[in-house]
Amino acid sequence: MKRTMMSLIGVAVALAAVTGVAAVAAPDGGRDAPRGSSRLPVQRSALLCPAPTSSEVGETAYTAFAPKGAAAGADGKKGTAELRPAGTVRAAGDGAGGKGGKKGKGKGAADAAAGQTVAPRDTKPVVPLQEAGKPVIATTDKPDAPALVGSADGMFAPGWTVQQTTSVAAGAGRGLLGLSCTTPDTTFWFPGVSTATDRQDYVHLTNPDGVPAVVDLELHGKDGSLAGSAGEDISVPPHTTVPVLLSTLTTTPTTNASLHVVAREGRVGAAVQASDGKLGSDWLPPAADPAPGVVLPGIPKDATSVRLVALAPGESDADLKVQLATPTGLITPAGLESLHLKSGMTTAVDLKDLTKGEAGSLVLTPSDSDSKAPVTAALRVTRGKGAKQEMAFIPATRPVEKRATAADNRDHGSTLSLVAPEKGKDAKVKVTASAGSGGGTPVSKTYTVKGGRSLDVEPPRPQGLKGTYALTVEPEPGSGPVYAARMLARPQGGVPAFTVQPLPDDRGSVLVPAAGQDLSVLTD
């Protein structure tokens, strides 16, 4: 009897292992499925959108989209996809959410953990999808608009994407802020944050689940962990968001720092809202998982300054070769042939007007091909001059393995950046413009990116476009590695307001290994 029971337990463990392999294979498992496995669409996905702005002169648009036909074979279920307002923990005295409150002396985490939880005023669904292949848009101008927590299942789950775009006309947070709503996880890296007096950076932690999450925040400056760091044991209640002002976590104001978000219990979504007194504001999305080499796609051709912030988070230093992928090939920026990163220390390099009038993407690779030291990095990019400047961030991103999506494209103002970073490995990419939210016929176009080069294009637009539309990027089988980003440019009274969203693979499918029936495990 005991042996039979143990055999049944073994079967359960084996089945759990199979399921686990499918989940582990999802992120970067490569284009070719291992023998005996099959690629299937995911059945459920989750997204989290942080509270957009506290400005009285801000307006936010949410655009939701799921690619048509992405879930063929998803058990025939139509499914649902929607977001709902989350509660908010207001930290006493710090003006959480970007209202410019007091800067404490290392009390931010404790205040956030002990702050008052404010329930959402309503729980009506936001941008619910009714059909795949057609975006849905909703807008709000409320300064207390909440964070959103949502999920998609059935035919909407694979590739479900929500873009949050906020325009702030005036004030300290003025500018165009864009973010692809994030998926929940247990760890995030944010190179490029600041605790200096001219910046107000808030990390928004959102819990999608029904159990509390406990989060640690670690800041790294040029000399390592910042002294006085007070970011431990931040409690994030279920279905609630907690904004934390980074300057309250340390007594050391630091212009260039890296933030590590670690959920010790549960999981969260995380994004950093950065506001600069002179350069406007934007969202800093999480960077791709640290790796020996990284790609940062989508530096606009008219960038007036570019700052690289990088960190080697492992136990070893990293030496990197720095190259810019341009429309004509890979070049080495003058005076920056290599970059040395000390373990646990943040390094910042001002690349000035790196692009010299040509759009490009930064490619960081190990100087020694045998080096495995992981690195993470992000760029702060500025357009305009003097009082008419605007900033955006470009973090390192994952390659597009199967498909990536960018929502909230208008008739004009979108630029698609594609880069094939490896010499001799061209990338052939199909780009599809979806139907518009108010009408229009989808249009597809194929682009070839030569290995070692980047390509900036004005993407195709749907025929008879009405409203907004989405772009899907799909490498053709056999193509070389390709990375992508989308820039939105919407000038505001002479300010070249813009925002850049990296387009990583949407992880809309997973590799499921073949499993055979073996009843012998049930016998004595």
Side-chain angles (χ1 to χ4, degrees):
M1 185 70 178
K2 288 183 179 180
R3 182 174 178 180
T4 302
M5 180 60 69
M6 292 301 295
S7 297
L8 289 172
I9 293 173
V11 172
V13 171
L15 290 174
V18 169
T19 305
V21 169
V24 170
D28 299 301
R31 289 189 177 86
D32 298 323
R35 182 175 299 176
S37 66
S38 57
R39 184 172 287 275
L40 299 176
V42 299
Q43 296 296 308
R44 187 175 179 84
S45 56
L47 290 176
L48 305 105
C49 306
T53 181
S54 60
S55 173
E56 298 285 348
V57 289
E59 182 173 333
T60 298
Y62 299 98
T63 307
F65 178 78
K68 193 172 184 178
D75 296 336
K77 297 179 181 178
K78 180 178 180 180
T80 59
E82 62 185 26
L83 297 155
R84 291 183 183 271
T88 302
V89 172
R90 294 294 187 187
D94 74 354
K99 291 186 178 182
K102 299 177 183 179
K103 294 189 177 184
K105 296 294 184 179
K107 297 180 181 179
D111 285 349
Q116 179 184 5
T117 300
V118 180
R121 282 192 275 181
D122 63 59
T123 57
K124 294 179 181 178
V126 179
V127 287
L129 289 181
Q130 300 298 324
E131 61 180 293
K134 182 179 180 180
V136 174
I137 187 169
T139 61
T140 180
D141 59 1
K142 295 179 180 178
D144 60 348
L148 303 176
V149 175
S151 63
D153 56 24
M155 65 181 293
F156 296 125
W160 182 47
T161 302
V162 179
Q163 167 80 12
Q164 174 179 300
T165 308
T166 302
S167 178
V168 180
R174 64 110 176 111
L176 188 68
L177 299 83
L179 180 71
S180 292
C181 297
T182 59
T183 57
D185 208 334
T186 57
T187 184
F188 303 86
W189 285 98
F190 296 93
V193 300
S194 174
T195 64
T197 55
D198 60 350
R199 279 266 292 269
Q200 282 203 329
D201 287 16
Y202 282 87
V203 59
H204 291 246
L205 308 171
T206 307
N207 182 356
D209 300 320
V211 295
V214 178
V215 177
D216 290 343
L217 303 179
E218 305 167 359
L219 285 168
H220 297 263
K222 62 183 180 63
D223 297 318
S225 296
L226 292 182
S229 181
E232 296 183 352
D233 297 326
I234 299 176
S235 178
V236 187
H239 309 299
T240 299
T241 190
V242 175
V244 179
L245 182 61
L246 296 186
S247 59
T248 65
L249 301 181
T250 178
T251 57
T252 307
T254 303
T255 299
N256 303 300
S258 300
L259 171 67
H260 189 199
V261 177
V262 181
R264 290 190 288 107
E265 296 179 20
R267 57 178 188 161
V268 295
V272 172
Q273 189 179 53
S275 179
D276 186 285
K278 295 181 180 178
L279 303 178
S281 60
D282 205 349
W283 289 100
L284 171 57
D289 292 339
V294 296
V295 177
L296 302 95
I299 306 172
K301 63 181 180 181
D302 60 349
T304 50
S305 71
V306 178
R307 177 184 293 172
L308 169 65
V309 180
L311 173 76
E315 297 181 355
S316 302
D317 294 358
D319 288 292
L320 300 173
K321 179 166 46 175
V322 181
Q323 294 179 296
L324 181 69
T326 73
T328 55
L330 288 167
I331 63 172
T332 300
L336 192 64
E337 290 78 13
S338 63
L339 181 65
H340 180 71
L341 302 180
K342 293 183 178 180
S343 172
M345 302 180 185
T346 297
T347 298
V349 181
D350 281 321
L351 303 175
K352 300 179 181 179
D353 55 341
L354 172 71
T355 57
K356 303 293 183 182
E358 282 191 329
S361 299
L362 203 64
V363 180
L364 306 178
T365 54
S367 298
D368 181 353
S369 59
D370 293 330
S371 174
K372 301 298 181 183
V375 299
T376 184
L379 299 172
R380 190 201 70 185
V381 179
T382 304
R383 297 173 71 217
K385 296 181 179 180
K388 303 291 186 180
Q389 295 185 77
E390 164 77 332
M391 70 175 183
F393 296 93
I394 303 174
T397 189
R398 302 190 307 272
V400 183
E401 296 283 350
K402 293 294 180 182
R403 183 187 59 233
T405 300
D408 194 13
N409 299 280
R410 312 290 174 87
D411 192 28
H412 297 285
S414 293
T415 301
L416 179 64
S417 298
L418 303 169
V419 56
E422 297 185 21
K423 286 185 178 180
K425 294 186 178 181
D426 298 353
K428 198 170 184 179
V429 180
K430 184 176 78 169
V431 178
T432 301
S434 74
S437 57
T441 304
V443 172
S444 295
K445 189 173 182 179
T446 300
Y447 300 92
T448 298
V449 188
K450 295 291 185 180
R453 300 185 185 185
S454 66
L455 176 67
D456 267 33
V457 298
E458 183 177 346
R461 293 189 294 274
Q463 294 180 355
L465 170 64
K466 293 181 181 179
T468 67
Y469 68 99
L471 291 170
T472 54
V473 177
E474 299 172 284
E476 295 196 355
S479 286
V482 62
Y483 297 74
R486 188 277 314 272
M487 182 180 80
L488 294 177
R490 297 174 188 169
Q492 298 176 346
V495 175
F498 76 114
T499 182
V500 180
Q501 280 72 57
L503 304 181
D505 192 87
D506 64 18
R507 296 176 173 175
S509 61
V510 292
L511 291 177
V512 180
Q517 189 179 50
D518 184 2
L519 297 180
S520 64
V521 297
L522 300 177
T523 62
D524 291 331

